[in-house]
Amino acid sequence: WKLVDLYPSSFGRLRVEKQTKDSVTFSWSFGRYQLRVWHSPFRLEILCEQEVMLNNQGTECTLNFILRATCCAPSGPSSIGADLCLHGFRHVYGLPQHADNLQLRDTRDGEPYRLYNLDVFAYPLYSRLGLYGSVPLMVAHKPDRTLGVFWLNASETFINIQYSDHQVTFVSVLRADPQTDVHWLSESGMIDCMVLLGPSPQQLFAQYAQLTGYQALPPLFALGYHQCRWNYIDEADVKSVDAGFDRHSIPYDVIWLDIEHTDGKRYFTWDPVHFPEPAKLQQHLEKKNRKLVIISDPHIKVDPSWSLYCEARDRGHFVKDREGQIFKGSCWPGESSYLDFSSSATRAWYSRCFGLDKYKGSTPSLFVWNDMNEPSVFSGPELTMPKDAVHCGDWEHRDLHNLYGFYQHMATVEGLITRSGGLERPFVLSRSFFAGSQRLGAVWTGDNVANWEYLKISVPMVLSLSLAGIAFCGADVGGFIQDPEPELLVRWYQAAALQPFFRGHSANVTNRREPWLFGDEVTAAIRTVIQQRYSLLPYWYTLFHQAHTSALPPLRLVLVLSTVQIYPNCNLLSPQGTADGELYLDDGHSFRYRDRKAFCLRRFSMLSGRLLCRPASEEGTFDCNTVIQSVTILGVKSKPSAVIVHASGKEIWH
C-alpha cells in the first residue's frame, strides 16, 4: 500500500504519528486524517477526526481463482483480492459498464459485478455481467462525505457488495452506523488500490482526474448531432441524407460510415465501386462545415496480397498465440489477426497509418470510430481473445484484457493529432474503454435495443460513466437493433439531446431512420429537439471546459450540484434571486486555447437585481464577434420600473 498525496500543501505534510513493532500510524491535514497499518496480519484503517471511514477485513493476497477450461496460465491459478469496509455509507455507485441501476445493488442474492470487456449484442438489462468497457472506480456517498475506491487492475475483476441494511426495516433506516462491505477479486496483477477521500464530490472528481487524467476538450462540432447507420450504401446515399437535413431544416454536424465503406473489410481503404471519390465526398461535406467519421477496428484481414497486413506482420505488430505464432481469429473480414496495441512501437505504427500520405482518400475533416475493440473475436471464448494469447513483453492477454481497447483509442487519437501537426483536436469514439479513457475522447453504451426499457436504462448507464470520469458518453438514439415506433423515437431524441454524446444509429437489418421518414409531426418534433440542442451548444461547451479543467462532469447527479448556474439561453435563479455561471469560448477546433491561451472565460452573476458580466480568467486572449443578443429573466414577481445597461463603467442604454 502506498500513500499518494493528492491534497494541496495547505493540508499539511504527511508525518508519522505513532509507531510500534506491529503497526504505524500516519497523519496529515493537521492531524484530521489518520492511516493506521498493521503488518501481521496485514490490515489498515483510515480515520477522519478519530472516526473510522474505511478498513480492510482480513485481506488475502493469494486467493484461489478458478480458470476457464479454454485457458491455461503458465504460472498456475492465481488471483489477488481485498475486503474493504466503508463505514457510515449505505449507497455506492460506479463500476461501469453495466446495464443496471445507478446505485449498485447488494450482490449476496446473485452474481457479483463483473469487469471484463466483452462484445455483447442486445445486452441483457439489470445485469451485473461485464459489457464493452470497465472502470474499477467505486464512489460511496452520504450527506457529509463522498469517498472513492479505485482498484487499478486490467484483468478480469469481480466485485461483491453487501449493505449492512440490505433487509430494509424501520430500525435499519434509523441506524447511525451503516456500513458497506466490498470484496474485490482480480485474476492477476497486484493490489494497487487508491482511496480518494473527497470529502465533497467535486474534490473526489478532481482527485481521480489527477490519477487518470481530465476529460479531453472536444472540438465543438462533436457536441452537435451525429447521423449514423450500418451502412450508408454509397456516396450518393451520403449526399442524399446530407441534403435531407438541409431540406428539412434540421441541423447536424457529422455523418458516419460503418464497415461497408471499406474494400472488403480492409480498414484504411475505400470500396472502389461505392466510394470511388472519398476525398471529394469529404470536401462536399466540409463546404457546409460538416465532418465524416469512418470506422477502424483492431482486427486486420489476413491477406498476403494486402500491403498493410504484410507490413504489420513483418514488423511484429500482431498479438501471438501461446505457441509463439501470430494469433488468428474470426471477425468481420473473416480470418483476422489482431494488432498488439500494448506495444508502443505498434501504436506509433498504427498512428502513422492515419497520415494523409498513407491513408489515401482521407482529408483533415475525416474522424474515427474504434469499434469491436474489447477485442471482439467471433471464434474466441465469450467472443473475445483467449487469455493465454501473448502480447509485447510476454504479457499474457489475461493481464491486460480490459486495456486493449484503451490502447487502440490512444493510438488513434495520437494519429489524428499527428496528422494535423499537433494543431487540431481529434475526435475519436471508442466502444471499449478503461480508467483514463476520458482524456482520449468519447464512448457510448453499445448495441442497445429499440424499446422503452433500453431508453430508460440509458440514463443510469451514462450517469454511471459520468461518475467514473467518462464524461463524453451517450446512447444510440432510437436503439441500434429493431425498429422503434414513432413515439419511442421522439422520446429518445428528447432524452438523448440532454446527454453529452448525441448520435442516431441503427443496424443494417432495421428500416431507415432519418428524422423525416415518419411523417410531418414526428419530423417537427425531432427538429425542435435538435434545434434546442444547438441553442444550448455554448452551455455544453462551457460544461466540457469545466470537465477539462476541474473534472466536473457535464451530466451531474443532484449530489454534485452545489450552486445555481446561469448559462446561455437558459437562466436559473435561486429562490433568493441569485445565480452564478460561466461562459467559455475559443476557436472550437484547435489546441490554441492550451498552447497560446487563446480563449475567453466570462463570469455572469445575478445579485440584488443586477446582472454582472466580468472576466473569470486573467489568462484568456481570445477575441471573437460573439455578442449577447438577449437576456431573459423568468419568474419576476413585478415588472421592473427600469432596465439600465452599463459597459466599461458607462451607461449605454436606459
Side-chain angles (χ1 to χ4, degrees), residues 106-112 128 160:
D106 191 294
T107 61
R108 74 186 81 191
D109 60 348
E111 295 292 323
R128 302 166 195 164
N160 271 299

Side-chain angles (χ1 to χ4, degrees), residues 37-346:
V37 183
W38 292 262
H39 71 82
S40 183
F42 173 76
R43 61 191 179 95
L44 62 81
E45 61 184 20
I46 299 174
L47 302 90
C48 177
E49 297 178 342
Q50 301 303 314
E51 289 190 8
V52 177
M53 295 189 299
L54 178 148
N55 61 14
N56 70 309
Q57 305 289 335
T59 300
E60 299 181 24
C61 299
T62 56
L63 299 173
N64 195 31
F65 195 87
I66 300 174
L67 298 176
R68 299 187 182 278
T70 52
C71 297
C72 180
S75 57
S78 67
S79 73
I80 52 105
D83 294 295
L84 302 178
C85 178
L86 308 178
H87 292 267
F89 294 94
R90 53 166 52 99
H91 303 95
V92 294
Y93 309 89
L95 302 181
Q97 188 180 39
H98 299 94
D100 204 358
N101 297 326
L102 180 61
Q103 181 181 344
L104 299 175
R105 291 181 288 160
D106 191 294
T107 61
R108 74 186 81 191
D109 60 348
E111 295 292 323
Y113 283 95
R114 185 189 190 196
L115 295 178
Y116 192 63
N117 297 353
L118 292 171
D119 177 0
V120 186
F121 184 77
Y123 44 82
L125 300 184
Y126 304 102
S127 169
R128 302 166 195 164
L129 298 178
L131 293 180
Y132 311 95
S134 299
V135 182
L137 174 69
M138 177 180 289
V139 177
H141 180 72
K142 59 181 179 177
D144 61 344
R145 177 171 292 277
T146 304
L147 184 76
V149 178
F150 178 39
W151 180 266
L152 183 53
N153 193 299
S155 68
E156 182 177 16
T157 297
F158 294 92
I159 305 96
N160 271 299
I161 300 167
Q162 293 188 7
Y163 295 109
S164 60
D165 51 2
H166 174 55
Q167 301 296 331
V168 179
T169 65
F170 178 75
V171 174
S172 69
V173 171
L174 294 179
R175 281 184 58 177
D177 57 345
Q179 69 181 47
T180 300
D181 296 327
V182 183
H183 176 62
W184 299 81
L185 179 65
S186 292
E187 179 176 359
S188 64
M190 63 180 183
I191 292 180
D192 195 358
C193 181
M194 281 143 275
V195 180
L196 310 176
L197 298 180
S200 71
Q202 294 88 337
Q203 288 170 305
L204 183 140
F205 294 147
Q207 292 156 11
Y208 179 69
Q210 289 178 54
L211 289 171
T212 64
Y214 289 81
Q215 174 66 52
L217 182 62
L220 182 58
F221 76 80
L223 300 180
Y225 176 65
H226 301 245
Q227 182 67 33
C228 184
R229 179 174 174 80
W230 177 24
N231 201 91
Y232 287 119
I233 300 170
D234 52 25
E235 291 177 359
D237 194 12
V238 172
K239 291 179 179 178
S240 175
V241 172
D242 174 69
F245 279 91
D246 293 333
R247 188 168 60 254
H248 293 91
S249 301
I250 301 174
Y252 91 108
D253 271 274
V254 193
I255 193 165
W256 296 51
L257 295 178
D258 212 311
I259 54 177
E260 313 300 340
H261 83 276
T262 62
D263 183 5
K265 313 298 189 300
R266 298 172 182 87
Y267 304 108
F268 300 101
T269 70
W270 303 86
D271 184 300
V273 175
H274 297 102
F275 293 91
E277 297 182 308
K280 289 185 177 180
L281 176 62
Q282 293 159 64
Q283 291 160 4
H284 172 81
L285 296 170
E286 182 62 23
K287 290 177 181 178
K288 305 177 184 180
N289 292 318
R290 291 169 180 162
K291 318 298 179 186
L292 183 68
V293 168
I294 51 86
I295 200 167
S296 185
D297 293 348
H299 50 262
I300 301 297
K301 180 181 177 68
V302 174
D303 180 2
S305 65
W306 181 24
S307 61
L308 187 139
Y309 166 78
C310 294
E311 187 177 341
R313 177 197 62 193
D314 296 344
R315 296 187 181 184
H317 292 316
F318 288 127
V319 176
K320 294 181 171 56
D321 62 24
R322 58 185 298 191
E323 306 299 331
Q325 303 300 310
I326 293 176
F327 171 76
K328 294 178 181 178
S330 175
C331 208
W332 297 126
E335 187 177 52
S336 304
S337 293
Y338 289 72
L339 292 169
D340 183 4
F341 292 106
S342 69
S343 164
S344 58
T346 299

Side-chain angles (χ1 to χ4, degrees), residues 458-476:
S458 70
V459 177
M461 288 183 76
V462 296
L463 282 171
S464 292
L465 286 164
S466 296
L467 277 176
I470 312 287
F472 200 2
C473 56
D476 285 340

Side-chain angles (χ1 to χ4, degrees), residues 287-419:
K287 290 177 181 178
K288 305 177 184 180
N289 292 318
R290 291 169 180 162
K291 318 298 179 186
L292 183 68
V293 168
I294 51 86
I295 200 167
S296 185
D297 293 348
H299 50 262
I300 301 297
K301 180 181 177 68
V302 174
D303 180 2
S305 65
W306 181 24
S307 61
L308 187 139
Y309 166 78
C310 294
E311 187 177 341
R313 177 197 62 193
D314 296 344
R315 296 187 181 184
H317 292 316
F318 288 127
V319 176
K320 294 181 171 56
D321 62 24
R322 58 185 298 191
E323 306 299 331
Q325 303 300 310
I326 293 176
F327 171 76
K328 294 178 181 178
S330 175
C331 208
W332 297 126
E335 187 177 52
S336 304
S337 293
Y338 289 72
L339 292 169
D340 183 4
F341 292 106
S342 69
S343 164
S344 58
T346 299
R347 292 198 300 272
W349 172 83
Y350 186 75
S351 294
R352 290 193 294 273
C353 291
F354 290 98
L356 299 177
D357 58 332
K358 294 203 67 174
Y359 192 175
K360 303 301 182 183
S362 68
T363 73
S365 63
L366 184 73
F367 296 88
V368 184
W369 167 21
N370 293 150
D371 197 11
M372 313 296 286
N373 55 345
E374 293 74 28
S376 179
V377 183
F378 295 162
S379 55
E382 295 191 276
L383 298 180
T384 194
M385 188 173 287
K387 292 182 177 179
D388 58 1
V390 180
H391 290 264
C392 172
D394 293 328
W395 286 95
E396 280 198 305
H397 185 70
R398 77 181 74 248
D399 299 316
L400 48 79
H401 172 83
N402 289 342
L403 274 171
Y404 185 87
F406 171 89
Y407 279 134
Q408 188 198 13
H409 200 183
M410 177 190 295
T412 307
V413 166
E414 185 58 37
L416 296 191
I417 293 175
T418 302
R419 181 185 71 181

